């Protein structure tokens, strides 16, 4: 990877390896979300996709995630602006908004566990979708995000 690529290149100019390296490993994008059809608001649940390894906060089948979970949101440089629900801490969102990576980001601090120790990842609270019945999902809403058209 190119030295400090996140500071020197636009998201669209990153290699696939650099793009993937931007992921801070928080797992927040893998939380289940429901969008209200009328308001457009997004309900975020403390329940993670069945493919998320909650301890590592990484997808357990990343190459096949789209075929196994059809509604998995595929984040790309071209679509990053569509994902306004990404947390403000997300490296993709930070770079897209012209901000710097956080000091706890693995590319900055060199420690992929720091995101967990800082409480940014879902490791400490998320349940697997495999462990929550469909009729109990609504009980696990942790945030409602207003999404403007």
């Amino acid at each position: 990877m190119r030295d400090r690529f996140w500071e020197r290149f636009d998201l669209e100019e990153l290699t696939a390896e650099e793009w993937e390296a931007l992921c801070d490993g928080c797992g927040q994008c893998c939380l289940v979300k429901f969008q209200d059809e009328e308001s457009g608001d997004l309900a975020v649940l403390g329940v993670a996709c069945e493919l998320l390894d909650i301890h590592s906060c990484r997808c357990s089948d990343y190459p096949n995630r789209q075929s196994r979970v059809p509604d998995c949101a595929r984040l790309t440089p071209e679509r990053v602006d569509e994902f306004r629900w990404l947390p403000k801490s997300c490296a993709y969102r930070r770079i897209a908004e012209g901000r710097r990576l956080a000091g706890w980001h693995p590319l900055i601090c060199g420690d992929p566990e720091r995101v967990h120790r800082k409480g940014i990842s879902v490791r400490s609270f998320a349940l697997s979708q495999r462990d929550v019945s469909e009729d109990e999902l609504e009980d696990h809403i942790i945030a409602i995000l207003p999404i403007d058209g």
Side-chain angles (χ1 to χ4, degrees):
M1 290 186 287
R2 297 171 288 185
D3 186 48
R4 298 189 74 84
F5 61 86
W6 60 91
E7 295 174 339
R8 300 174 43 230
F9 301 97
D10 291 333
L11 290 174
E12 297 81 12
E13 298 175 291
L14 301 183
T15 66
E17 181 184 22
E18 290 167 343
W19 174 258
E20 295 297 331
L22 269 184
C23 176
D24 55 35
C26 74
Q28 291 190 50
C29 59
C30 297
L31 293 177
V32 174
K33 296 157 205 69
F34 295 120
Q35 190 158 25
D36 183 284
E37 291 180 20
E38 289 180 28
S39 69
D41 291 352
L42 207 61
V44 181
L45 284 63
V47 176
C49 169
E50 64 187 64
L51 295 180
L52 186 71
D53 175 326
I54 293 175
H55 180 73
S56 70
C57 290
R58 297 291 181 174
C59 184
S60 62
D61 193 9
Y62 191 72
N64 302 304
R65 70 194 185 283
Q66 266 31 100
S67 60
R68 292 191 55 197
V69 180
D71 60 345
C72 175
R74 185 164 184 257
L75 185 61
T76 65
E78 298 78 27
R79 296 183 63 208
V80 75
D81 289 337
E82 296 173 33
F83 295 93
R84 295 182 301 266
W85 49 265
L86 288 169
K88 291 186 186 301
S89 59
C90 175
Y92 296 111
R93 182 172 176 175
R94 292 176 75 100
I95 298 300
E97 292 175 351
R99 295 184 292 138
R100 301 166 91 167
L101 292 182
W104 48 261
H105 193 286
L107 289 170
I108 301 295
C109 72
D111 180 5
E113 287 296 308
R114 197 161 180 199
V115 66
H116 307 298
R117 287 194 307 274
K118 296 287 279 180
I120 295 150
S121 80
V122 303
R123 178 188 282 177
S124 65
F125 69 87
L127 301 172
S128 174
Q129 193 171 13
R130 283 176 262 151
D131 300 329
V132 179
S133 69
E134 193 78 26
D135 58 329
E136 293 176 339
L137 287 174
E138 198 170 294
D139 297 337
H140 294 276
I141 295 172
I142 59 173
I144 302 290
L145 305 176
I147 303 296
D148 303 318

